[in-house]
Amino acid sequence: MNLIKTCLAAITMLGATALSPSLSAADGVKVDHLGVNNTLVRISGGSRYLLLPVQESNEDDRIDVLVDGRLDKTIYVKLAKNKVDYFVPLELAPYKGHEVVLNILTTQGRSTVREAKDDACWKNMTLSDTFDTTNREKYRPVYHHTPLYGWMNDPNGMFYKDGVWHLYFQHNPYGSKWQNMSWGHSTSKDLINWTPEPLALEPNGLGTVFSGSCALDTNNTAGYGNDAVVGLYTSAGASQTQSLVWSKDNGRTFEYYDANPVITLESEARDPNMFWDDNAKQWELILAHALDHEMLIFTSPNMKEWTLQSAFGKGIGAQGGVWECPDLFRLPIDGTDEEKWVLICNLNPGGPFGGSATQYFVGDFDGKTFKADTDKEGKIPTKWMDFGKDHYATVSWSDAPDKRRTVIGWMSNWQYAAEVPTMQFRSANTLPRDLSLFKAADGELYLCSAPSPELSALRDKLIVNVRRANIGKKNATYSLPATNDGICEILMDVDARKAQKINFTIANKAGEKVLMTYDIAAHTLSFDRRESGIVDFSQDFPAVTVSPTFEVNGKISLRIFIDKSSVEVFGNNGQFVMTNLVFPENPYTTLSISSADGKAAIENLKIYSIK
Ligand code: FRU
């Protein structure tokens, strides 16, 4: 009896609580707690944003955005429970003049409504006409592309038109961890300075917006006009299908094709990458058949009806976990009039140093089938585009000028991308690179990823300029720019014919350092970031990566770009590259060079601070 009474009392209390709005919510935000895991938030007034408080360690809560009672969209946000890490903006401007109600399903374990009511998120939701994106992060790169706020992974849909480089990217506009996949968008006239643009693609009934590509439809094959920007991306719902979009305003906004999806398969397939084949007069599409470790090749007259032509990859190269983000293009071979086809195949995990990496195959393509070249032993070799740990999902721009094949990657690794020590945003892109092929001493063709020519414009003051220096056991030490947080470009030619190993150490006074060692006999350059700064956020972060140097005579050239949280090393103008993140507590201040055994020399050492 007593128990029944207590229960009745509790139910009455629950009812009362549910009916009375929380008093502490901000003006224009009315909160009704309906149950332990369900809350309605009614919004009034004409503000541009509702700022949602996030606590990163929480699970995602589901927010159904109802406009005049109809579901407009669903987003997932880690709403703050006991502390607010940061805010994310829900745009209200499109709903002006309409009733907006958020129907929120929280995932936090709750026993009573009273407990749910105490969550920090309810009283911290704020209406505002502005959202402050001023940088708050010590590790935000200065000259690498980053999202203004929120999570970013793969570069997507890149195309060049009318002097503008368009870069879309996998983006979570509601938090700094992977979720709510959408296409963010930035544009640049010089591949260095990026202007943030409005969100380009958002999830719809077919699913969230995974990676894909854009191309200019020069001949109006799809019917959206000459030179229309047409995109293809993966709709990720219960299944992965491919959806077509087109733009009437040069890629600022997109329309969704009403007969989507245009490609459906029975197994996971994603990241469509298409290009116009002028020989065959048709569209070519490469699609990652992720779990099957193969790339599917489709053709189409109009980007809407696609015919499967072939598959490449079964049992070839590094197989890893999943194959993702393909690209296929023709490249010139340096110093010849010849060209070859290159198939880019990002894979994760299974990279040479763990986690994500980009492999590629050199071969021929006849419009239907890609055939990889074999080496002297008749095998198809596994080749890597970058020998660091932080180079993934790299693909190229469509329609780049002057026949350039310019690529950009995601500068992170799925092993720890969500754990790196930033919060306002997560992840940057690599520097852009221009590709060609070169023939190495082993007779094989390899990718050369040279820093894009635009990057030379980054140079500010020349702070070290040494024509020649002999290098012995004792460190020769040079200063990095102090007023500039050590952000710089370092160039040098290394002559190690009389030595066996040369060490290059980039360090700060606290002893945090990156140690690079050129091993002449092994023809390798290693990059050790185990003591580079903060490394303990993931057991996979401390690492030594090793690259072949492709030289034959003990001479290499190095071009090193240091930003707030990355070091990119280009050897022999891109014949080998290492891209690695670093998080020093304080900026690096010195470069020291020594040789443990025998004499070496460096020539034309130049250190430029970067603007
Ligand atoms: C690669 C990837 C793609 C997918 C996207 C989702 O990093 O897994 O295959 O489209 O990320 O964000």
Side-chain angles (χ1 to χ4, degrees):
M1 182 64 183
N2 268 351
L3 186 66
I4 293 173
K5 258 196 194 154
T6 319
C7 284
L8 277 177
I11 289 166
T12 321
M13 258 180 59
L14 277 178
T17 313
L19 290 174
S20 65
S22 152
L23 294 175
S24 45
D27 283 353
V29 178
K30 188 168 160 270
V31 182
D32 289 340
H33 297 287
L34 307 182
V36 281
N37 287 323
N38 188 201
T39 299
L40 282 190
V41 175
R42 292 171 211 269
I43 295 159
S44 56
S47 300
R48 179 146 181 219
Y49 301 109
L50 175 68
L51 304 181
L52 300 168
V54 174
Q55 183 174 357
E56 275 220 334
S57 53
N58 284 353
E59 295 295 308
D60 285 308
D61 298 320
R62 176 189 165 127
I63 305 182
D64 285 341
V65 181
L66 310 181
V67 181
D68 296 337
R70 301 181 73 156
L71 178 64
D72 182 68
K73 63 178 165 196
T74 298
I75 61 174
Y76 294 85
V77 184
K78 296 174 186 302
L79 290 174
K81 192 173 167 189
N82 32 48
K83 72 169 171 116
V84 180
D85 289 327
Y86 53 84
F87 288 86
V88 291
L90 173 66
E91 271 232 49
L92 299 174
Y95 309 136
K96 211 169 177 159
H98 297 268
E99 287 295 320
V100 180
V101 174
L102 308 184
N103 189 2
I104 303 178
L105 284 179
T106 59
T107 42
Q108 328 295 343
R110 296 276 180 251
S111 43
T112 63
V113 172
R114 185 185 296 250
E115 199 186 324
K117 266 181 76 178
D118 286 342
D119 284 357
C121 59
W122 312 124
K123 50 182 176 293
N124 283 293
M125 279 185 188
T126 319
L127 289 165
S128 172
D129 285 329
T130 54
F131 174 59
D132 184 10
T133 54
T134 315
N135 182 44
R136 297 191 298 273
E137 295 286 355
K138 160 178 176 180
Y139 292 119
R140 190 189 285 269
V142 170
Y143 59 96
H144 287 77
H145 173 259
T146 52
L148 270 183
Y149 75 98
W151 167 270
M152 174 176 86
N153 56 292
D154 314 355
N156 292 150
M158 298 114 76
F159 70 93
Y160 175 90
K161 193 173 185 226
D162 304 334
V164 179
W165 301 84
H166 290 260
L167 170 60
Y168 303 85
F169 49 91
Q170 287 288 280
H171 183 41
N172 181 5
Y174 305 110
S176 299
K177 297 211 182 227
W178 188 90
Q179 188 52 278
N180 303 305
M181 276 304 111
S182 307
W183 277 21
H185 183 201
S186 298
T187 52
S188 174
K189 292 204 165 123
D190 58 9
L191 287 171
I192 298 170
N193 297 291
W194 292 97
T195 307
E197 303 284 350
L199 200 63
L201 293 174
E202 285 190 88
N204 65 14
L206 285 170
T208 56
V209 186
F210 272 17
S211 292
S213 60
C214 286
L216 300 186
D217 188 8
T218 316
N219 306 319
N220 190 19
T221 61
Y224 304 123
N226 286 333
D227 265 352
V229 179
V230 181
L232 210 53
Y233 72 87
T234 302
S235 288
S239 307
Q240 297 185 348
T241 59
Q242 317 311 316
S243 290
L244 188 98
V245 288
W246 83 96
S247 174
K248 289 190 279 203
D249 55 8
N250 284 334
R252 211 181 119 79
T253 60
F254 285 92
E255 314 279 320
Y256 296 78
Y257 174 48
D258 48 17
N260 277 333
V262 293
I263 298 177
T264 57
L265 291 170
E266 285 172 5
S267 50
E268 256 182 49
R270 57 179 175 267
D271 313 337
N273 200 326
M274 62 177 166
F275 64 95
W276 175 252
D277 181 344
D278 216 24
N279 291 330
K281 301 280 179 249
Q282 63 190 4
W283 290 97
E284 307 281 353
L285 168 67
I286 320 297
L287 187 64
H289 209 190
L291 300 166
D292 297 72
H293 307 129
E294 59 182 8
M295 297 303 185
L296 305 177
I297 298 178
F298 292 78
T299 58
S300 168
N302 56 11
M303 306 192 213
K304 291 172 181 163
E305 286 115 40
W306 292 96
T307 309
L308 178 63
Q309 299 291 358
S310 65
F312 170 86
K314 275 267 153 67
I316 298 174
Q319 295 279 295
V322 282
W323 280 26
E324 305 182 310
C325 303
D327 203 351
L328 178 63
F329 42 75
R330 220 183 348 220
L331 281 183
I333 304 173
D334 289 347
T336 72
D337 298 333
E338 290 162 49
E339 290 188 328
K340 271 282 184 180
W341 285 85
V342 174
L343 192 145
I344 302 280
C345 166
N346 288 281
L347 92 174
N348 176 64
F353 312 107
S356 327
T358 308
Q359 72 172 327
Y360 65 93
F361 303 94
V362 181
D364 295 305
F365 178 61
D366 63 4
K368 290 187 171 174
T369 309
F370 176 81
K371 197 165 167 290
D373 289 352
T374 51
D375 60 15
K376 286 189 203 118
E377 278 135 38
K379 295 200 187 97
I380 297 173
T382 302
K383 295 176 178 171
W384 301 102
M385 195 164 168
D386 189 292
F387 291 86
K389 271 198 81 147
D390 300 296
H391 176 278
Y392 194 55
T394 301
V395 287
S396 67
W397 263 274
S398 304
D399 303 282
D402 309 322
K403 293 196 170 159
R404 289 172 65 177
R405 187 54 64 176
T406 308
V407 297
I408 201 164
W410 174 43
M411 193 155 58
S412 200
N413 190 314
W414 279 116
Q415 283 183 328
Y416 44 72
E419 315 304 330
V420 297
T422 63
M423 251 203 194
Q424 183 187 24
F425 79 101
R426 263 203 198 88
S427 296
N429 287 103
T430 66
L431 287 175
R433 296 140 194 216
D434 276 35
L435 302 183
S436 61
L437 287 166
F438 72 99
K439 192 174 245 168
D442 62 1
E444 284 293 309
L445 290 172
Y446 293 94
L447 270 184
C448 180
S449 311
S452 293
E454 285 84 350
L455 295 172
S456 303
L458 287 169
R459 289 175 192 164
D460 194 13
K461 290 197 187 76
L462 179 62
I463 61 158
V464 173
N465 189 6
V466 176
R467 213 189 58 75
R468 190 185 155 88
N470 289 323
I471 300 295
K473 275 204 177 88
K474 204 164 154 280
N475 265 325
T477 297
Y478 305 94
S479 293
L480 304 182
T483 51
N484 199 21
D485 286 349
I487 292 164
C488 65
E489 179 189 349
I490 305 172
L491 296 105
M492 70 182 106
D493 297 319
V494 182
D495 183 346
R497 281 173 293 183
K498 296 191 186 123
Q500 282 163 29
K501 279 188 184 161
I502 304 185
N503 290 325
F504 306 87
T505 309
I506 295 166
N508 62 20
K509 290 207 180 68
E512 292 174 331
K513 61 175 190 271
V514 165
L515 171 63
M516 288 181 273
T517 303
Y518 174 27
D519 182 329
I520 292 88
H523 303 284
T524 56
L525 183 74
S526 61
F527 185 113
D528 182 347
R529 70 169 175 198
R530 288 173 299 179
E531 293 171 38
S532 58
I534 304 175
V535 297
D536 60 0
F537 52 87
S538 157
Q539 62 175 30
D540 295 312
F541 189 79
V544 183
T545 72
V546 186
S547 173
T549 48
F550 293 108
E551 104 296 350
V552 282
N553 57 4
K555 288 170 104 171
I556 54 170
S557 71
L558 294 177
R559 197 168 164 197
I560 303 169
F561 288 88
I562 304 179
D563 203 339
K564 293 251 182 172
S565 50
S566 62
V567 179
E568 280 155 289
V569 183
F570 294 87
N572 307 336
N573 200 31
Q575 290 188 342
F576 63 96
V577 191
M578 278 192 271
T579 302
N580 282 311
L581 294 176
V582 287
F583 298 96
E585 296 270 14
N586 293 303
Y588 300 131
T589 50
T590 53
L591 162 71
S592 303
I593 311 176
S594 67
S595 150
D597 39 30
K599 283 222 176 303
I602 50 161
E603 289 173 355
N604 307 314
L605 171 67
K606 290 188 161 66
I607 303 181
Y608 291 95
S609 64
I610 279 179
K611 281 177 211 157

